[in-house]
Each structure stands twice: as C-alpha cells, then as structure tokens.
Amino acid sequence: MRNKFFCLFLFLHFVTIAQISIRGVIIDETTNQPLPFATIKTDELSYALTSVDGEFIIRCKTSPANLTINYLGYQSKTIVVHAKDKGKITIKLSPEEESLDTVKVDSKENVASKIIREAIQRKRKNDPKRSLKSYSYKSYNKFKITEDNQAKLSTQDTTSTDIERIFNDAHSFLSEKISGHKFNQGIEEKETVLATRMTGFEEPVYNVLGIKVQSNSLYNEDYTIFNDKFIGPLSNRALRNYYYKILTTTQDKRPAFVILFQPRKSKKYASLEGVLYIDIKTLAVQKAVIELRGELNVMAKHDFEHFSKENIWFPKSQEITIRPGNGRQKVNLFGGKISVGRLGIDQKSFTGNNDFLISKTDLFEITLNNVPQIKQNQPAIKIDPEANHRTEAYWSQYRTSAITEKDLNSFPIVDSIVKAQNIKRRINVIQSFNIGYYPVGFFDFDLTYPIKYNNFEGLRLGLGGLTNSKFSNRFRVEGYLVYGFRDSKSKFGVGGGVMVDKNSSSWFNVNYTDDIKEVGSFLYLTDRRVYSLFEPRLVNIDFYYKHRTWSTSLQHQISPKLLSETQLSASSINQTGGYQFLNNNELFSAYKTAEATLALRWSPFSKFLKTPNGLKEIYDGYPKITAQYTQGFKGVFDSNFSYSKIGVKAEYVITRINQSRTSFLLEADIANGDVPLTHLYHAYPNAPTKETVLQRFSVAGRRTFETMFFGEFFSDRLATLQIKHRIEPVKITSWFKPEVVFITRYAIGDVSNIENHQGVTFTSLQDLYQESGFEINKLFAGFGLSFAYRYGAYHLPRFEDNISFKFTFYLKL
C-alpha cells in the first residue's frame, strides 16, 4: 500500500490550504426544493457550486466567513458563518425575476447556449495561441499535500506507517518548479525548466515533469486533467455534450456572464461541470471553475488577466484541487494506468476539513507579440543543466507562494522515509521493468533472455543485459548468452558503445552476434523497444536460419521528433533445414551478406522532454512514420548477393473521450535483386501448422495474422493493413470491465522467381488476403479470448481451417 501512495506523490501536485470547511444546502424559500449549481463565493474569492441536490462544501481561511450566494432568478444573499457553527447549514433564497437585456433571447435556443455558440465562433480571436504572433512568460508551480493540522490518514494496512507520518506529522509533500515559456505562431509552446526540486530526491523524477496536470487553455477541443482528456466546455462539440445556463452577471471593471455548464448525457464515465465567466464585450473567458466529481472530487480553477493593447485575456494563474469524494464512479486521472479512486483515500480513511492535494501555477513576466524566434526542433520541455542546483536566493526571487515552516519540516521527514524505504531504488526498478530490464548495481539485466520456448530450440534459457549510467555515462557494454535444449546449441552476442554527442544522444556501437533468426522477418532499427512478459508468437516458430554477424552502427537523434540509425553489417548464414537458393545456376545453402542500412522514425505530433539523461516521449502523437533502406553489396567481405530492400510503415491512433480507440497500421515492403528467402518478407503469421482448431489453440499476437499458417506465404513485395477498433469498456462491475476489440487485417504481395527458392513450399500473396475477428480482453489477470476468420481469395476448403481461436494476453504494469 505504501508503494502505491508514494507513486501517487510522484504525479500529483499541491499548494495553499484552507483552514475552515463549511458544508450546507441551498433551497428555494417557497418550495423547499434544492437549487442545483448555485454559486457560492467567499470574500477570499473562493468558489463552489452546489450539487444536483443543492449541497456544497467550501473552504475558507478565516472566521467568521462571508458567503455570497447567487442563482439565476433568485435574490443574491450574503450570510456570515462562524467556525463554531457545526453541521450542515441551510440557506434559503427568495425568487426574483432577473433582466438580461444585454442579450437577445431566441425562443428556439436558451440565452446561455447562444452566448456559448458565439464564444466558440470567436475562439480564433480570443485564444492567445491563435491571435498572438508570439508570447513569453515565466511560471512558478508548487505541488503540495495538505498541511491541515486536523487532517489524518488512517489505513488498515500496517505497512503504511511511514506514509501516515508524511500526512499526520508533516502534513506536506512538496515539489516546486520555475519555468520559462516561449511561443511563436506555427511552433508549439516550448518550456525550459529553470529550477526544480522535490522533497526526498536529490534529483527530480524527470518523468513527472512531463505530466500535464491541467490544460492552460479553455479553447482547445479537449480539456486535460492529469493526462486524461475530457470534452472542453468551449470545444466545437461542446453544445452537443453540455447544457448551459446563465447563473448571474458580474459588474466588475469588465462585466461578465457567469454561465453554468453540465453534461447533457448520463455519466457513463467521469465528465466535467462548472462555471465560465464570459466577458460581455469580447466573449472571452475571464475565469473558470471546473469540477470532476467521482470517488475523488477534482476542482480546477483558471484566472485570466486582460491586456488592453492586444484586447486579449491571457492566463494568470491556474489551480487544481483533489479532495475525497462520495461518488460511485472511478476517476482514472492517469489514462487508466493509476486509478486514484482505488487507493483507499476516501471519507472513511481521510479525515479533516480541507483539500487533500493541490497544484497551483502562477504566471508572471508576461510579454506579448515581442518574442525572438524559437527553434522548431527544440523539445517541448527541456531541463536547464542548473535546474536542480538553484540557491535559495534564486527560489526567493521567483517564488509566488511562500514556503511555510511546516513545508520546511516536511523535507527532513520525507527525506528520511525515501532513504529508509529505498524509494529511489524502487522507482528505478519500476521504470526499468516497464521496458524490460531489471537493474542491479551498474548492470541492467535484460528480461527478454532468461526463458523462452520455440519449436526449433525447445526450451531456451539465457542471461543478458547492458551497463547503465552507474558504470559510465560515456561508455556501455552489453552481451548475452543463451542455450537451446532441443538443438543443444549455445548462442551469444557481445558489444559495446561510446557516446559521440550528448546533445543529440549519438552513440557509436560495435556488436558481434552468433544466433538464429526467423526466416522472412524484417525489423526496423529505430523501432521502440517493446517488452512483454510473454511473447506468444515465438512458441510456434520453427523456420529459422543461423547467422554470425559483425555490425557497427551510429544512433543519432537528428531532432526530438526525428530519430536515425545507420548500420553496416557482414553476416555468414547457414540453414537449419533443407532450403537452397538458386542464383546464377548455383545452389546456396550457406552464403555471406554485406549490408548498409539507414533507418528513420518520424513522430511529428509527439512531444518530448529533454533531461540530462536524454529524451523522453511525454505525449504519444500520431501518425508515426518509420522508413528503412538496406543495400546488399556483392563482393564486399566475400558477400554473394547484391540486392536492395526498403520498408515503410505508418501508425495512426484515434483515442476518443469515451475510451474507445481505433488504430491503423499500414506497412509496405519491397526487395529487389538476388534476395534469398531468409531476407524476404512475411506478414507475421501466427497459426501453427496443426490439424485441428484445438491443436492450434495458443496465444494471439499484437500485430500478427492469426489465421495465416507459418511458412504459408513469402513475398518480395508486400503490403499489409491492420485496423483495430476498441469500443468503450463494458462495465459489468466496478472492477470487471472487459474490452471488446474488433479487428480486420489485409495483406497483398508477390514474389519473383519462386522457383529459385528450393527445398521449401510456399505461396505468393498476389491476391488479397483477408481475416476479421474480435478480442475480448482483460477477462482475468490480463488474459482474454480471441476469434478470427479467414475469408476471400485464400479461404480454405475446410471450414475449421479458416478459424482461429486463442488466448490474448495484455498486462499493464
């Protein structure tokens, strides 16, 4: 339990805390009916909305507190509440007709909807990123756990004693950040982290700096809360999803409509509600209060400042608060990876009057339309080399929220817990394990080597890995050793690298490998490492070739969004079976190849964080495009063949608000010249060549053709398209939500001179191959079921031979 709590600390951010909590209900004086979504305001400019039952909770710093209640059609009312007043107070409002002469009423559309419709149409003028040529500002961000002296955390898990000390003794976990921001029209906003620190960590956990806590704009299509997206209240689809109602008007220097918004549809998943302060003259947002109600309640606030010269409202501050809630639904604030609602922090385990977690950001030194040009290839976020070593004088210069004595007390307490519980080690293990490594000292063991199984080697056991930064930041050594029990052979690989340029993450590598490889496989050098606890397709592969390969490569990050790798290699190849390649009237079962390869991966819409340790992708943008060209040279290092190979693939994913998801994977590969079967292409078949459906029962792959038999097709020209559509998770219980995915796959290709490939039998894919099916995932412990059917030109005579029925395995750690 304490691990889960501390992981939560790494992602949630916190600030100023209230001292008094006031609970109440607002009703109609004549009917005693509750008034939903009334606004309550304090003299300290704290805001709250009543629920559908008219109930509210608002925090104040002083006592007595003045509460002002506004509701459209009712007289405004101000009351005084003292700290000694206990329990829930009842506030009655008297009806009164209000005049909204400033707006022309359309009988077919309510006034608020008309205002919002026009505000959406004016977004281009009111959105700073659309109307301004450039801008810059600095920001101070403070993350904090409640320091309320009455707040207590009580859990039944006895291992949480140290976590309780943070809550109950220090009442504070603190993280601070100072950043500089720049924006030019046509280039995404760039952030430079000038200073950062976290209690308990000598160096910050850099992944946390890439998390988007909340949107800094109300004009985008989606509104983000801790990397989770919701339909924005001013999006182009807002009027279809939200109901709007004018609550009142303000008469400040810049008068505004106070407009309530709430979901139109039933809440099948967490959705937003709140109030917008819309400037009467420009229909820009002056202020916003947004709530997300669930097992935990989330409240986000935005304040904007008016710049008269540009006639634009620019963000001034934003704040997000998390407190225990009473709702029944989960609020997955981290895209499903961490469900805060499951951590047990609710009204029963967390006592006290105030907010649990807060993050507040203040903007200052704002400059509009007078910013030097910034570089397009700069990462979205970069860390200043001195960011982690700033003096207290530097912090005091920019800090907009004071550090209290209790804040300072939290540092030694959390420091001692982090050290005693070896939290840094645990974080390192988790981050490494997610990409398939287990760190031990200066060496990261590769988890893909210990145990595997395939039809050629049988059980394959091994050990491998590479050195990490504890060994050296400039050099690395890697290697592995495995043994196959069926073929009774050892295989190994050894290599190393040296960093050529730290700024571009350029590494020069040399490797030697003596191993086996699947016939017809084609791997892109720049593909991201994908690790799975279980690789099901490997179990059924039985067509391999042996190779001994020397290679040298240069990995180079041309820009944050463009990765390249160049490789030169020479291989000696032998067959594991009876295959022979006929070339110039000569049969080859053993031959040599010499290749030069250039690979590129372009992620134009992804966002990257540059840390002292390299680049991290903090936003997965699509499409992603990968290309690779290989040239084989005859006569170089006694190589036997001359050929060229090119592959291109594009991946595009559409993720929707309702958690449905559609993905497209398109790939095209071409090989010309004297290309042996080992270097041709297959479409990643995954059907074992067994007699019955039950004998072919295994585990489905991620990008494999489930009804295509191993060794059935090979091509020198191949194109594949895979489409997956995952519908909204089916909620059976609060913990059992299986996912249904519909899948369609297509493949078409051809092969030249098929007669030159002797000793094997396969078919050309010159007609369109088609299969469709579905998966039901996450039924139990990551396992699910898969069904696919083969149809079209390659439909087989026996019905059962066209069917694939398998397990699926998707486990998120």
Side-chain angles (χ1 to χ4, degrees):
M1 179 67 72
R2 62 171 177 261
N3 296 342
K4 293 182 178 179
F5 275 121
F6 207 90
C7 288
L8 180 62
F9 301 159
L10 299 179
F11 292 96
L12 299 178
H13 317 303
F14 339 91
V15 222
T16 58
I17 307 298
Q19 296 300 323
I20 303 170
S21 179
I22 302 172
R23 297 172 180 267
V25 60
I26 298 176
I27 63 175
D28 184 298
E29 185 178 52
T30 57
T31 66
N32 289 329
Q33 292 298 311
L35 299 179
F37 305 108
T39 56
I40 304 96
K41 182 174 70 173
T42 70
D43 291 342
E44 301 156 355
L45 299 181
S46 294
Y47 292 86
L49 286 175
T50 58
S51 68
V52 292
D53 299 319
E55 297 180 348
F56 69 91
I57 302 176
I58 193 167
R59 273 75 175 176
C60 305
K61 292 182 179 179
T62 59
S63 176
N66 294 322
L67 300 187
T68 300
I69 299 94
N70 290 289
Y71 197 74
L72 185 66
Y74 289 78
Q75 296 179 12
S76 296
K77 190 172 188 177
T78 299
I79 66 170
V80 179
V81 180
H82 297 267
K84 62 182 180 180
D85 296 334
K86 302 295 184 181
K88 185 186 296 183
I89 63 175
T90 300
I91 303 171
K92 298 181 179 182
L93 297 185
S94 301
E96 176 186 80
E97 293 298 327
E98 291 196 26
S99 174
L100 294 173
D101 296 334
T102 53
V103 180
K104 295 181 180 180
V105 179
D106 186 337
S107 60
K108 295 182 180 179
E109 184 176 36
N110 72 40
V111 177
S113 295
K114 186 174 182 178
I115 295 171
I116 293 297
R117 185 179 301 279
E118 189 169 349
I120 293 172
Q121 293 172 354
R122 293 193 190 183
K123 284 196 299 183
R124 183 169 294 278
K125 293 182 179 180
N126 292 326
D127 185 355
K129 288 189 176 181
R130 300 186 188 185
S131 62
L132 299 176
K133 294 181 180 179
S134 63
Y135 61 74
S136 68
Y137 63 91
K138 286 188 173 69
S139 66
Y140 170 75
N141 180 256
K142 185 178 177 182
F143 313 138
K144 198 174 184 182
I145 295 176
T146 178
E147 62 180 3
D148 176 16
N149 290 329
Q150 298 178 2
K152 296 292 180 181
L153 176 69
S154 177
T155 70
Q156 297 179 354
D157 188 347
T158 57
T159 64
S160 298
T161 303
D162 289 322
I163 297 304
E164 290 183 32
R165 285 185 60 208
I166 295 178
F167 282 90
N168 301 335
D169 296 343
H171 302 290
S172 181
F173 177 84
L174 180 67
S175 176
E176 295 183 288
K177 183 178 70 169
I178 299 170
S179 296
H181 305 256
K182 291 184 178 181
F183 169 80
N184 288 147
Q185 193 64 245
I187 302 176
E188 65 183 9
E189 184 176 307
K190 308 294 185 181
E191 176 184 356
T192 300
V193 178
L194 302 173
T196 180
R197 66 177 182 177
M198 289 181 183
T199 51
F201 295 91
E202 296 176 2
E203 288 191 9
V205 182
Y206 291 111
N207 287 5
V208 176
L209 299 178
I211 291 179
K212 191 169 186 178
V213 179
Q214 68 182 118
S215 292
N216 56 10
S217 174
L218 276 299
Y219 299 108
N220 296 333
E221 284 299 291
D222 298 327
Y223 186 87
T224 300
I225 298 178
F226 288 99
N227 281 353
D228 230 4
K229 292 185 177 181
F230 304 88
I231 297 173
L234 289 177
S235 73
N236 294 331
R237 48 198 170 151
L239 289 166
R240 299 195 305 269
N241 291 276
Y242 291 108
Y243 167 78
Y244 295 86
K245 178 180 179 181
I246 294 182
L247 300 178
T248 184
T249 59
T250 64
Q251 298 300 323
D252 298 328
K253 293 181 181 180
R254 300 278 302 193
F257 300 109
V258 182
I259 298 179
L260 164 76
F261 68 93
Q262 61 185 116
R264 284 185 178 274
K265 299 179 181 179
S266 175
K267 292 185 179 181
K268 294 182 179 179
Y269 51 91
S271 193
L272 306 177
E273 56 190 276
V275 288
L276 301 174
Y277 289 69
I278 302 295
D279 186 88
I280 289 179
K281 294 182 180 180
T282 64
L283 297 186
V285 181
Q286 294 183 2
K287 186 183 299 183
V289 180
I290 298 173
E291 290 196 69
L292 181 64
R293 301 172 187 261
E295 290 196 358
L296 296 182
N297 287 337
V298 180
M299 177 177 286
K301 299 178 182 179
H302 294 260
D303 277 301
F304 297 80
E305 179 181 354
H306 186 255
F307 287 77
S308 56
K309 180 181 178 181
E310 293 80 7
N311 193 25
I312 196 165
W313 290 86
F314 196 85
K316 181 181 180 181
S317 68
Q318 56 193 58
E319 180 178 348
I320 193 164
T321 304
I322 297 179
R323 67 176 68 97
N326 295 315
R328 297 180 178 178
Q329 60 212 38
K330 302 289 184 182
V331 180
N332 292 325
L333 297 179
F334 300 93
K337 295 181 179 179
I338 297 178
S339 177
V340 179
R342 293 178 185 149
L343 292 182
I345 308 169
D346 53 26
Q347 297 287 12
K348 295 180 180 179
S349 62
F350 182 79
T351 61
N353 293 326
N354 299 321
D355 302 323
F356 171 51
L357 302 168
I358 304 178
S359 168
K360 190 172 189 299
T361 302
D362 293 315
L363 281 61
F364 53 94
E365 295 185 16
I366 300 170
T367 302
L368 306 182
N369 287 333
N370 190 24
V371 178
Q373 189 71 24
I374 59 179
K375 296 180 179 179
Q376 174 70 51
N377 61 356
Q378 181 179 326
I381 306 175
K382 68 176 182 180
I383 314 297
D384 188 285
E386 297 299 317
N388 198 40
H389 308 287
R390 298 298 187 185
T391 64
E392 191 59 36
Y394 185 94
W395 283 103
S396 299
Q397 179 184 357
Y398 293 108
R399 185 180 286 131
T400 58
S401 181
I403 295 293
T404 66
E405 182 178 353
K406 195 172 291 291
D407 292 335
L408 297 176
N409 291 338
S410 72
F411 278 85
I413 293 176
V414 179
D415 286 348
S416 64
I417 293 173
V418 169
K419 184 176 181 179
Q421 296 298 321
N422 204 9
I423 298 296
K424 294 179 184 177
R425 162 69 180 168
R426 297 181 186 183
I427 293 173
N428 186 27
V429 169
I430 291 171
Q431 292 180 346
S432 299
F433 190 82
N434 284 336
I435 58 174
Y437 291 102
Y438 186 84
V440 177
F442 63 84
F443 195 78
D444 291 348
F445 285 92
D446 193 328
L447 299 179
T448 63
Y449 287 118
I451 182 168
K452 288 184 180 180
Y453 183 90
N454 60 67
N455 284 332
F456 177 75
E457 295 175 292
L459 183 64
R460 173 179 166 124
L461 300 180
L463 201 63
L466 73 166
T467 57
N468 55 42
S469 59
K470 291 183 179 179
F471 175 79
S472 173
N473 288 319
R474 293 290 308 276
F475 303 95
R476 64 187 178 199
V477 178
E478 58 185 310
Y480 72 90
L481 176 66
V482 298
Y483 182 80
F485 283 85
R486 179 173 294 174
D487 65 343
S488 302
K489 297 290 184 181
S490 297
K491 296 93 178 173
F492 70 95
V494 64
V498 58
M499 179 174 284
V500 179
D501 183 17
K502 184 177 181 179
N503 291 328
S504 60
S505 301
S506 298
W507 284 84
F508 178 76
N509 309 291
V510 176
N511 295 85
Y512 177 75
T513 306
D514 185 349
D515 206 339
I516 61 173
K517 186 180 292 186
E518 182 187 3
V519 172
S521 60
F522 180 69
L523 302 177
Y524 291 85
L525 298 179
T526 55
D527 271 1
R528 292 181 296 180
R529 178 183 172 92
V530 177
Y531 168 68
S532 175
L533 287 173
F534 180 51
E535 299 178 70
R537 187 175 176 275
L538 298 179
V539 174
N540 298 306
I541 302 174
D542 59 3
F543 198 8
Y544 291 94
Y545 66 92
K546 302 175 183 178
H547 72 102
R548 295 189 302 275
T549 301
W550 282 97
S551 67
T552 180
S553 65
L554 176 65
Q555 298 168 312
H556 177 63
Q557 194 90 37
I558 299 174
S559 72
K561 299 182 179 183
L562 184 60
L563 174 66
S564 72
E565 183 166 350
T566 305
Q567 177 179 276
L568 302 175
S569 64
S571 301
S572 296
I573 294 173
N574 287 277
Q575 309 305 315
T576 60
Y579 170 71
Q580 292 182 306
F581 179 48
L582 179 63
N583 182 250
N584 292 330
N585 297 319
E586 184 178 356
L587 286 172
F588 292 89
S589 60
Y591 41 85
K592 295 182 177 181
T593 63
E595 297 179 338
T597 300
L598 172 64
L600 299 169
R601 186 180 79 223
W602 186 39
S603 306
F605 298 103
S606 292
K607 293 184 179 180
F608 294 85
L609 165 68
K610 187 174 184 180
T611 75
N613 302 322
L615 284 167
K616 296 180 180 294
E617 190 171 16
I618 56 175
Y619 174 72
D620 224 2
Y622 293 93
K624 295 181 185 293
I625 300 172
T626 307
Q628 182 164 297
Y629 176 77
T630 299
Q631 180 64 52
F633 301 96
K634 184 176 182 179
V636 178
F637 297 115
D638 297 323
S639 62
N640 298 104
F641 310 122
S642 176
Y643 53 85
S644 60
K645 299 176 63 177
I646 187 169
V648 179
K649 70 175 179 179
E651 185 178 5
Y652 188 73
V653 177
I654 303 171
T655 303
R656 300 175 184 84
I657 297 295
N658 66 355
Q659 300 181 43
S660 67
R661 172 187 172 102
T662 305
S663 65
F664 303 86
L665 179 61
L666 176 65
E667 183 171 353
D669 307 304
I670 299 175
N672 289 310
D674 304 323
V675 192
L677 186 68
T678 51
H679 290 55
L680 292 184
Y681 308 106
H682 61 49
Y684 286 91
N686 197 32
T689 52
K690 302 291 179 64
E691 181 65 24
T692 67
V693 174
L694 291 179
Q695 288 176 322
R696 295 192 292 269
F697 188 83
S698 58
V699 182
R702 304 292 178 94
R703 51 165 292 186
T704 54
F705 281 74
E706 302 303 329
T707 61
M708 185 182 293
F709 293 97
F710 284 92
E712 186 177 5
F713 303 100
F714 289 98
S715 306
D716 54 23
R717 286 151 289 170
L718 178 65
T720 61
L721 173 63
Q722 302 190 39
I723 304 172
K724 293 185 177 183
H725 177 68
R726 184 189 72 191
I727 65 174
E728 179 182 351
V730 181
K731 183 178 179 180
I732 298 176
T733 67
S734 60
W735 56 268
F736 184 49
K737 300 177 183 178
E739 296 178 353
V740 179
V741 183
F742 297 96
I743 301 173
T744 296
R745 300 184 178 96
Y746 305 96
I748 190 168
D750 204 355
V751 59
S752 303
N753 304 317
I754 194 172
E755 66 279 0
N756 291 344
H757 305 285
Q758 300 185 7
V760 294
T761 301
F762 63 91
T763 307
S764 168
L765 262 176
Q766 59 185 353
D767 296 316
L768 185 65
Y769 186 99
Q770 302 171 78
E771 72 172 28
S772 294
F774 62 88
E775 295 176 351
I776 306 177
N777 298 319
K778 299 183 180 179
L779 291 175
F780 176 75
F783 284 97
L785 294 173
S786 164
F787 174 84
Y789 184 72
R790 170 174 173 164
Y791 57 96
Y794 294 99
H795 184 270
L796 299 174
R798 291 202 315 168
F799 174 80
E800 58 268 27
D801 289 341
N802 299 287
I803 295 175
S804 167
F805 178 60
K806 302 176 183 179
F807 274 131
T808 63
F809 185 74
Y810 293 89
L811 181 61
K812 289 186 177 181
L813 300 175

